[in-house]
Structure formats: C-alpha cells, structure tokens
Amino acid sequence: MIWIVKFSGLFSAAMLTIVLFPSLQSFPPAEAIRSSHLDSYLRLKGQNLSVDSLNRFSFRKASPFRNADECGNRNLEISEQMRVCDPSLVHVAITLDVEYLRGSIAAVHSILQHSLCPESIFFHFLVSDTSLETLVKSSLPQLRFKVYYVDPEMVRRLISSSVRQALEQPLNYARNYLADLLEPCVGRVIYLDSDLVVVDDISKLWNTSLGSRTIGAPEYCHANFRKYFTEKFWSDERFSGTFSGRRPCYFNTGVMVMDLVKWRRLGYRKRIERWMEIQKSDRIYELGSLPPFLLVFAGHVAPIEHRWNQHGLGGDNVRGSCRDLHPGPVSLLHWSGSGKPWLRLDSKRPCPLDTLWAPYDLYGHSPVQGHYR
C-alpha cells in the first residue's frame, strides 16, 4: 500500500512524504464487437499496425510475479474458457491503443506489483487494433488476459465533437459495451482508464459492495454538476427532467466497479446510446463519453472511497496544468485531463506528481523500481 501525506495546503506536491510497502446502433453488438481469440478473421479485418510501427515501441519484460501462499494454487493448464469463468478471479478491463499504450502497460504493471494474488487477476483488453496483443505478451508474458476487438465505425456513428479531440476517440466509449463483450459468466468487472496507476491491492476495490446499484465509483457531490451539461439541457424539461427525484453527483468514469449481470438485465447500453443519439441532434453537453453515464447513473451510484480515484492529475482539458492531490489516503493516482505523465516526463517538464507514475513505466531501458512478491 502507498500512503501519501500532505503536511500543509501551502506545500507543493514535492513536499509529499511517500512510504511504500511492497509486501502488500445500426448493428447488433455481437456483429460489431468480437473477441480476437474467438475469431481469427479479425486479424485480417482489423486495422493492424505495420511491423515498422510496432518496432518503434520498446517495452522491457516485467519481472516474474506469483501469488502469495495464502492465495492458493492456481491451475494454469485448464482451458481458456474455464480460466475466464473461474469465480475466484478478479476481472479488470482496460483499453489498449497506440497513443495510450505506454500508460496502459504501466497501469497493468502497477496492479501486479501491489497485488497479493497477481495470478488471480484476469485482464480484458479492449482494442481497435489486434496487433497490440503481441506487445502485451512480450512485456508481460505471464499475464492472464484476453483481447476484444471494438469496431471503431460502429461506435463513431454515435460520437459527437468534444472540447478535446482525444475525448472523441471510439475506444473512450468501449466501456459502454463491456457487458456485450465479456463472457456471460463474467458478472463483475473493474473498468480502468489507461492514464492511472494503482498503488494498493486491487482486490480491495473488487470486494466493494455495490448493494442494489449497477455501478460503483467515487462520487464528488461538491462539484458543480450543472457545468457538465449545456444551458439548453437545463432549460428544457424533456432533458433536465431525467434528474427529477434524484440527487445527482459527479463521478469519474475512469474508475468503476460494474455489475454486468444487472447491466445486461436492465439494458443500460441502449439507455446510454439513446442519450448519445439525442446529443447528435440537440447538443446537450460538451464532454465526450462522461455525460451519457451521468445522465443514466448519477444519483444511482454505489459510493466508493475517494482514495480509489485521486483524479485530475493531468490538469484541465485544455492546458494540462500541474495539480496537487486531494487530502486523504491514496490507492489510485489518475492523470485525467490533457496532461499525461509519460509525455511530460519525456519533454523534461514533468509535474511533481508525475514522478509517482515513473516507477511503473516499462517503456525503454530504465531500471524498474520496486519488486513483485
């Protein structure tokens, strides 16, 4: 676990004390989204990177990892389907694309490094380019994972322009389709963005109770909720009336625990897509994939401790300025916003907190800090 203590609000992030304990929809979804392991046809259909493009990525091989004795023995020789459906697994979904690949690999690396039972974690990678699977295998050869292809064209028809072009990328919307993508036997999943690192045992987040809710996330009820929607939205009762009888709070969709059984049964994908269709004609918000989730779930979210999403470290959506941590303990650091730690580190102009991301970076040839159990 990692604990970060702020001595005073006047101190910058450079004054933090860090103590690390390493012991610790025109097409049905089935037609548009498939698993790359189930259908080799996708390797011809997908927009694969060239060999030269792949070669420009240089990731080190991660150190071997294994479960602690108290995790029990795992039989890795059983079939892939049985491995995915093992009820003892922790399921984590994350996107992989060229722009954020370095961040995704670092996020996975951080999860493994802080997990008591890293072999009991199964990763579900959402991609629009199946060639990236090779890079994952070379850098994390022990990793238990599966790759799922998301057809960009199927999602793109629903996407509206946003305040930042990166928010318009189809993979930002892949979380909407997790219940269709993942095997029916997977009843719960943790969805994570690519620009974060986990500095605590992710099984603690996995075991969070959702009660009667479909998703769980840290909520921020002090935030100005009105700013996430246009004045046209708030002035039209057809739209704003959706929050009647609810006490909506902002939550960040980059860290969510999702009950896929309830999601499938209640048809939440179609509800989200309906709001995206309304946005195309009525322009009721400015931010990419977040507002449809707020429209469907705000006020109906199982609250999770704020320690599991110290978000906003990438600054705002325009300038990407440096940010400090929120008060309190930290289990997950999230560089949401336009500033990404790998880009700022490479430019030799990092923010103080970017150095907390660096130990999990497997890109290039610098030595890895920390170790697996």
Side-chain angles (χ1 to χ4, degrees):
M1 179 192 296
I2 185 170
W3 291 83
I4 301 179
V5 182
K6 297 171 69 175
F7 292 109
S8 167
L10 299 176
F11 283 78
S12 72
M15 297 300 294
L16 300 175
T17 298
I18 303 168
V19 183
L20 185 65
F21 299 96
S23 64
L24 285 167
Q25 121 157 229
S26 56
F27 299 103
E31 296 178 20
I33 305 175
R34 299 181 179 90
S35 162
S36 67
H37 284 352
L38 295 177
D39 192 349
S40 60
Y41 166 70
L42 290 174
R43 299 199 177 281
L44 300 176
K45 182 177 184 291
Q47 302 260 338
N48 290 346
L49 295 173
S50 67
V51 173
D52 289 341
S53 296
L54 287 172
N55 286 342
R56 73 184 176 89
F57 292 100
S58 176
F59 289 96
R60 300 187 313 279
K61 183 180 293 187
S63 301
F65 56 87
R66 61 180 177 82
N67 282 358
D69 292 341
E70 51 265 48
C71 301
N73 295 324
R74 306 211 52 78
N75 179 10
L76 301 182
E77 302 303 320
I78 57 180
S79 70
E80 175 186 297
Q81 182 69 19
M82 288 300 294
R83 291 205 305 270
V84 174
C85 294
D86 184 342
S88 69
L89 293 175
V90 171
H91 293 274
V92 178
I94 190 167
T95 60
L96 292 179
D97 68 353
V98 173
E99 184 177 359
Y100 285 86
L101 181 63
R102 188 170 170 186
S104 298
I105 295 295
V108 172
H109 190 206
S110 71
I111 292 169
L112 297 173
Q113 196 161 357
H114 292 280
S115 175
L116 186 70
C117 307
E119 293 179 283
S120 301
I121 304 172
F122 197 100
F123 289 88
H124 304 264
F125 293 125
L126 315 176
V127 306
S128 56
D129 186 328
T130 55
S131 296
L132 297 176
E133 180 178 350
T134 303
L135 289 171
V136 175
K137 287 181 177 178
S138 63
S139 184
L140 298 158
Q142 288 182 269
L143 197 69
R144 307 181 70 187
F145 74 94
K146 191 170 181 178
V147 171
Y148 304 81
Y149 176 77
V150 180
D151 184 348
E153 295 308 316
M154 186 277 296
V155 184
R156 190 172 283 121
R157 70 180 182 85
L158 292 168
I159 297 176
S160 302
S161 60
S162 183
V163 296
R164 182 159 57 93
Q165 188 174 5
L167 300 177
E168 301 171 22
Q169 298 306 307
L171 276 183
N172 285 340
Y173 296 82
R175 60 176 76 99
N176 301 357
Y177 302 95
L178 279 170
D180 302 296
L181 278 164
L182 274 54
E183 289 72 9
C185 63
V186 179
R188 170 181 282 220
V189 69
I190 297 172
Y191 175 82
L192 298 177
D193 275 351
S194 300
D195 53 356
L196 55 77
V197 291
V198 177
V199 291
D200 202 346
D201 194 328
I202 201 167
S203 66
K204 298 176 185 177
L205 178 59
W206 173 258
N207 290 323
T208 299
S209 172
L210 300 184
S212 62
R213 305 304 191 187
T214 302
I215 68 168
E219 292 183 291
Y220 302 89
C221 296
H222 62 279
N224 179 9
F225 193 78
R226 287 186 67 90
K227 73 178 183 179
Y228 295 101
F229 302 95
T230 62
E231 284 305 314
K232 179 177 183 178
F233 172 87
W234 292 113
S235 63
D236 192 328
E237 178 64 23
R238 293 177 304 161
F239 304 141
S240 59
T242 192
F243 292 123
S244 289
R246 294 157 65 179
R247 297 182 61 186
C249 294
Y250 162 74
F251 64 95
N252 180 280
T253 53
V255 179
M256 296 186 292
V257 181
M258 306 172 69
D259 184 330
L260 299 183
V261 176
K262 288 192 178 81
W263 182 291
R264 294 173 183 124
R265 186 175 73 245
L266 299 174
Y268 281 114
R269 173 182 58 81
K270 291 183 179 179
R271 300 190 197 188
I272 289 173
E273 288 185 334
R274 177 55 184 152
W275 282 112
M276 293 174 69
E277 290 168 350
I278 291 172
Q279 163 73 355
K280 296 286 282 188
S281 60
D282 290 279
R283 196 68 184 177
I284 57 175
Y285 54 81
E286 302 294 341
L287 286 172
S289 60
L290 168 64
F293 262 82
L294 296 179
L295 286 161
V296 173
F297 291 109
H300 299 307
V301 175
I304 290 176
E305 288 183 276
H306 288 176
R307 67 189 301 151
W308 284 106
N309 196 353
Q310 283 270 348
H311 68 290
L313 303 185
D316 59 29
N317 280 310
V318 179
R319 295 183 300 273
S321 53
C322 296
R323 293 278 181 87
D324 209 344
L325 287 171
H326 307 294
V330 178
S331 293
L332 185 150
L333 297 157
H334 187 185
W335 279 262
S336 57
S338 60
K340 303 307 173 188
W342 56 92
L343 297 178
R344 296 194 295 214
L345 287 163
D346 286 353
S347 69
K348 310 300 182 186
R349 299 178 62 184
C351 292
L353 290 177
D354 294 344
T355 58
L356 301 181
W357 179 89
Y360 307 102
D361 185 17
L362 289 175
Y363 184 77
H365 303 286
S366 59
V368 179
Q369 299 179 31
H371 65 277
Y372 295 115
R373 60 187 68 257

